[in-house]
Amino acid sequence: MRTFYATTPIYYVNDLPHIGHIYSTVVTDAATRYHRLIGEKTRFLTGTDEHGQNIEKAAAGQNLTPIALADRVVARYHDLWKKFEIANDDFIRTTEGRHRVGVEALIAMIEKAGDLYTAKHEGWYCASCEAFYTEKELDEEKRCPVHGTPCAWESEENVFFRLSKYAAPLLEHYEKHPEFIRPETRRSEVLSFVRGGLTDLSISRSKVQWGIPFPGRPGQVVYVWFDALSNYVTALGFGSGDERLYREFWEDPAGRRVHLIGKDILRFHAVYWPAFLLSAGLPLPTTVWAHGWWLRDEKKMSKSTGNVVRPDGLVAEFGPDALRYFLLREMTFGQDAHFSDEAFLTRFNADLANDLGNTVSRVAALLRQSFGGTPPLACDSNEILSALAAAQSEWRAAMEDFAFNRALEAVWRFLAQINGYVVAQEPWKVRKEEGRSARLSRILYAAAEGVRLCAVMLFPFMPGTSRKIFGTLGLPESDPRLEDLGWGRLPTGAPVPESGPLFPRADAGAYFGTKEKTMSQETPGAPASAPPPPETAQAVSPSDNRIGLDEFQKVRLVTGRVLEADRVPRSNKLVRLQVDIGAEKRQVVAGIGKQYTPESIVGKNVVIVANLKPATLMGVQSDGMVLAATGGEAGEPALLEVPALVPPGSKVK
Ligand code: MSP
């Protein structure tokens, strides 16, 4: 059986978890749940990075010992992962004995390879990154490229690792294994960095106390990044005397070892870590997958910027699965995405309450009303069954490629097909005309089995919701297995219980009214993203159709550049556009084919409504709307164009 080992970064304990940390963990959970579901032998590791100067300082600032601080934050992580149903097999803490022995064993192997030496270390140091930067990487004021804070000139005697020796072997590995760094843009970045040559790396510190003593070098502790990266093998028992897990998950030649990380820590994972492993003669990970950042107000969400979103309020109000869904659906894996309450609410109401929730309730109600449970006759040939094949193959391909948003889109398309089928078959009419006929039974069986299969495909994303859907269809609320992906597992003649809505629709007005309570923003007094109260109260009568700013702000308008355009078959009006909207590419169908030829639209900078529910126009999916003015002579739409210097993805307000 093929093995799949997935890891998250291990999180620093000088900060409480925020949406960024949750994202890395939720994607790793979704990936592992998928591989477990399709029958692979999986292992999922997460944990905490507890050593180093920053933790030392943060603990001192709170009058705590570093370990007491770590214990507190770790307890928070455990609670949170439980709440989010994160199914990790292990949780490693770098302060554990099993980790220390593994780090010592790794250092011994690297020492044996002749790759360590002691020398004076000088350079520009960012304390937040706990890393040195070269002149080239800093601006004139020597500010850190990640944090924007000034670096300090540091000088000390340290143990060095001969990283320079590994530039050529690393380049060879990148060439031979294109899947080693994903996505492609990140791979190119690393390639050009390594092609520029590598300098040896200091892997000990003498001025830091809080760390693993460097074996054989009194007065030095192991550099926190060497310490942290080793967790991926120490948690498997490497160097502990019991290396069974290590052999099974790290040395299996056919197995996959995937590090899911944020793009901020790519160099550590794609350059330093494989160089340490090459030196020690150990296998390398199969893939380092770097995802983008969650941004708020155009900046990376981070403690130092003070713009983080904590999950507590959202989870209390909407449940963990709504946030899991939003994170996995809204971000194109690998690119940056914006976190906004408005986008969250829109997805919640449109995708979860409406598309998913209503379809499930509607089908369950039809079953109850028609047969008091699941239908007596199964059905093994119908249009849902053929739609399923396409949906599952898209879902699988996307999941194998960590394209979570694409996998979800496939499920949503399938959901729309089930809905379309129910509407077209009109089972309520069939019931009226034919009673509990065989035809009615088959129609409802197909719809319910379709819903069950949606729930199986949703399991990696929203495990709790998926189990609830099984319950709504009268099935046991247990985790699905490989065979549950097949058609016909829904039993016939089983009772279907009464159930409430899966996702009760959220009232946006009420939500924004209580927002201070529900969403905790890091900096009190920071400009709240809740819109000001509507201005309509004083000046405008209720009969006037004006809307408040709050309503307008629900519409996400962004600029986009048209990359491709072609006509929708059999339509003289509809044109299909591929539009670059900065963080992603969107397919949008526009009714402008009479005034514009497809060629004349390519390259135009337009305005897109980015949070419109997807619609299908003449069989073509449209994921957004392009703005046009219709006041011309013939009343024909004229595209609203934006000056070329405005980059795609800019907010229009
Ligand atoms: N301790 C190191 C990792 C060592 S791994 C051997 C570290 N920890 S961290 O707590 O600062 O952040 C870890 C990860 O959290 C990031 O790499 C990223 O995966 C995730 N995120 C933190 N902020 C983020 C966003 N704003 N957006 C998305 N993910 C981000 O670095």
Side-chain angles (χ1 to χ4, degrees):
M1 197 191 289
R2 189 157 82 147
T3 57
F4 180 81
Y5 177 46
T7 65
T8 71
I10 49 171
Y11 303 106
Y12 287 133
V13 289
N14 59 347
D15 187 13
L16 291 173
H18 61 67
I19 295 289
H21 308 126
I22 291 169
Y23 181 68
S24 295
T25 313
V26 163
V27 290
T28 315
D29 188 56
T32 323
R33 280 180 186 275
Y34 163 77
H35 286 276
R36 203 179 292 129
L37 176 60
I38 61 163
E40 290 178 14
K41 178 126 202 221
T42 61
R43 194 160 180 90
F44 169 10
L45 172 71
T46 187
T48 41
D49 187 355
E50 304 188 5
H51 287 131
Q53 209 173 15
N54 288 327
I55 314 295
E56 220 170 25
K57 267 198 222 148
Q62 296 179 43
N63 261 338
L64 289 171
T65 57
I67 195 69
L69 172 68
D71 287 347
R72 277 191 192 180
V73 176
V74 166
R76 242 339 244 145
Y77 270 105
H78 281 309
D79 281 355
L80 198 68
W81 296 160
K82 200 164 155 206
K83 220 179 251 171
F84 276 93
E85 283 211 54
I86 301 298
N88 53 307
D89 298 285
D90 195 359
F91 187 104
I92 181 108
R93 300 182 56 177
T94 54
T95 46
E96 288 175 81
R98 61 169 175 155
H99 176 67
R100 200 195 59 242
V101 295
V103 170
E104 288 166 354
L106 191 60
I107 289 179
M109 291 169 97
I110 293 177
E111 177 108 61
K112 207 165 154 210
D115 284 337
L116 299 185
Y117 64 94
T118 305
K120 193 159 177 208
H121 188 204
E122 284 184 321
W124 293 104
Y125 189 71
C126 168
S128 302
C129 295
E130 302 213 27
F132 282 92
Y133 285 98
T134 60
E135 292 269 351
K136 262 199 304 195
E137 292 168 296
L138 304 178
D139 61 11
E140 280 178 2
E141 279 153 52
K142 308 288 178 253
R143 280 183 303 214
C144 161
V146 175
H147 294 90
T149 45
C151 292
W153 184 257
E154 294 270 352
S155 163
E156 60 177 281
E157 181 111 323
N158 288 151
V159 182
F160 275 81
F161 169 70
R162 289 187 204 285
L163 182 64
S164 54
K165 185 174 143 187
Y166 290 96
L170 282 172
L171 285 170
E172 196 188 319
H173 188 81
Y174 303 149
E175 294 297 340
K176 267 204 202 137
H177 301 277
E179 74 289 359
F180 182 68
I181 303 166
R182 299 284 320 273
E184 193 52 39
T185 45
R186 301 281 161 242
R187 181 170 178 266
S188 324
E189 275 170 31
V190 173
L191 245 76
S192 65
F193 173 71
V194 177
R195 280 190 188 127
L198 295 174
T199 49
D200 290 350
L201 181 74
S202 150
I203 59 159
S204 78
R205 293 286 180 271
S206 63
K207 291 183 186 154
V208 181
Q209 312 292 315
W210 181 236
I212 298 176
F214 204 100
R217 307 289 206 289
Q220 302 274 345
V221 300
V222 177
Y223 171 43
V224 66
W225 269 103
F226 186 98
D227 174 344
L229 289 161
S230 314
N231 91 87
Y232 301 129
V233 291
T234 62
L236 295 174
F238 175 78
S240 70
D242 177 1
E243 296 196 335
R244 272 174 300 181
L245 283 173
Y246 169 75
R247 277 196 296 278
E248 184 173 12
F249 287 99
W250 200 265
E251 294 200 327
D252 172 10
R256 275 182 298 169
R257 304 169 285 281
V258 183
H259 299 316
L260 291 128
I261 58 161
K263 65 180 183 182
D264 45 339
I265 54 175
L266 178 61
R267 186 179 306 173
F268 298 98
H269 284 80
V271 181
Y272 303 164
W273 176 229
F276 300 152
L277 292 167
L278 284 172
S279 166
L282 303 179
L284 305 194
T286 328
T287 301
V288 174
W289 231 114
H291 63 70
W293 286 336
W294 281 99
L295 309 174
R296 194 148 171 113
D297 310 322
E298 308 299 324
K299 292 198 198 83
K300 179 187 177 219
M301 212 184 271
S302 78
K303 185 177 175 244
S304 42
T305 321
N307 61 348
V308 296
V309 177
R310 305 284 182 198
D312 314 63
L314 287 171
V315 173
E317 185 98 2
F318 301 99
D321 275 1
L323 189 53
R324 285 179 66 116
Y325 172 78
F326 177 77
L327 295 175
L328 292 160
R329 175 68 186 80
E330 189 78 0
M331 185 180 262
T332 301
F333 197 58
Q335 297 174 11
D336 291 347
H338 290 262
F339 193 97
S340 80
D341 308 347
E342 292 78 6
F344 177 84
L345 270 192
T346 305
R347 286 236 173 260
F348 182 85
N349 279 336
D351 301 5
L352 297 179
N354 190 39
D355 296 346
L356 180 62
N358 285 351
T359 309
V360 173
S361 322
R362 180 187 218 184
V363 169
L366 281 165
L367 296 181
R368 276 194 308 271
Q369 290 153 9
S370 308
F371 297 103
T374 58
L377 285 178
C379 132
D380 53 14
S381 157
N382 59 77
E383 56 189 87
I384 303 276
L385 184 48
S386 30
L388 172 72
Q392 282 192 347
S393 85
E394 284 169 46
W395 172 79
R396 271 195 175 224
M399 291 307 281
E400 292 288 340
D401 201 27
F402 301 92
F404 304 103
N405 57 324
R406 261 182 26 223
L408 282 168
E409 277 161 22
V411 179
W412 252 253
R413 266 195 298 279
F414 184 49
L415 203 56
Q417 282 158 330
I418 298 171
N419 259 321
Y421 174 79
V422 171
V423 171
Q425 297 293 326
E426 301 183 297
W428 43 89
K429 238 182 182 174
V430 178
R431 187 172 63 219
K432 225 175 183 179
E433 288 162 8
E434 304 175 8
R436 297 172 160 200
S437 67
R439 185 155 81 100
L440 179 66
S441 176
R442 290 203 187 93
I443 294 171
L444 290 184
Y445 189 91
E449 181 60 350
V451 168
R452 183 191 69 79
L453 283 152
C454 274
V456 178
M457 289 191 274
L458 284 179
F459 181 71
F461 303 93
M462 299 188 280
T465 301
S466 169
R467 284 192 295 264
K468 251 194 198 163
I469 299 176
F470 297 146
T472 308
L473 296 174
L475 290 159
E477 296 197 9
S478 52
D479 291 3
R481 304 157 62 100
L482 178 62
E483 49 275 24
D484 295 318
L485 278 166
W487 181 268
R489 309 273 303 171
L490 186 78
T492 48
V496 164
E498 283 287 343
S499 53
L502 272 185
F503 294 100
R505 220 183 145 70
D507 173 348
Y511 173 69
F512 285 119
T514 58
K515 195 167 149 296
E516 298 301 5
K517 265 198 295 169
T518 57
M519 187 187 277
S520 78
Q521 187 81 25
E522 180 76 335
T523 33
S529 52
E535 292 158 10
T536 48
Q538 320 92 14
V540 181
S541 75
S543 60
D544 189 314
N545 270 342
R546 292 192 200 192
I547 57 167
L549 198 56
D550 54 341
E551 275 177 90
F552 174 69
Q553 283 181 342
K554 285 180 211 159
V555 183
R556 192 155 78 84
L557 295 174
V558 297
T559 60
R561 183 159 301 142
V562 180
L563 304 173
E564 290 165 42
D566 59 0
R567 289 194 182 277
V568 169
R570 297 184 309 281
S571 168
N572 56 1
K573 209 170 127 202
L574 296 182
V575 181
R576 175 170 58 181
L577 312 176
Q578 306 297 337
V579 188
D580 169 10
I581 60 162
E584 58 181 299
K585 196 170 97 177
R586 285 284 182 91
Q587 171 167 295
V588 175
V589 176
I592 50 174
K594 281 192 183 159
Q595 306 73 255
Y596 297 88
T597 59
E599 307 75 58
S600 68
I601 311 169
V602 173
K604 280 194 193 299
N605 284 342
V606 293
V607 180
I608 298 286
V609 183
N611 61 342
L612 203 62
K613 263 175 65 177
T616 305
L617 302 166
M618 300 217 32
V620 179
Q621 163 123 351
S622 181
D623 198 4
M625 187 173 90
V626 59
L627 291 192
T630 50
E633 269 173 38
E636 299 292 9
L639 278 176
L640 284 189
E641 289 189 56
V642 176
L645 51 96
V646 180
S650 306
K651 190 171 175 182
V652 177
K653 50 184 187 178

